[in-house]
Amino acid sequence: VEQIVASVFTEVLGVERVGADDDFFALGGNSLIATQVVARIGAALEASVPVRTVFEASTVAGLAARLESHAGSGARAA
């Protein structure tokens, strides 16, 4: 899950590298980009990911930890 989150951060934010402790907002993320991030992560994990999750856990490791229990749940947002 952590690799998926880091990969999505890298793609969406256009940065070269993202580490486990890198913060989404410190890397240049904002609320509009957060919607793209949760859509991509949700698709990759086959799970529903609320945008607020990025605000509550904005590091790669923090977000991955929050999402691990939801991965593969199939509960995707419409």
Side-chain angles (χ1 to χ4, degrees):
V1 174
E2 200 170 283
Q3 287 180 329
I4 292 170
V5 172
S7 174
V8 170
F9 277 22
T10 302
E11 289 175 26
V12 174
L13 295 171
V15 294
E16 195 172 310
R17 273 196 176 150
V18 176
D21 296 323
D22 286 338
D23 184 273
F24 173 75
F25 298 103
L27 293 171
N30 59 43
S31 58
L32 294 175
I33 297 172
T35 60
Q36 293 177 17
V37 167
V38 297
R40 289 183 188 203
I41 292 173
L45 298 178
E46 296 182 3
S48 176
V49 181
V51 174
R52 75 171 183 270
T53 307
V54 176
F55 288 89
E56 295 170 353
S58 58
T59 65
V60 172
L63 187 55
R66 288 254 181 131
L67 298 175
E68 283 195 12
S69 62
H70 300 295
S73 66
R76 295 213 31 217

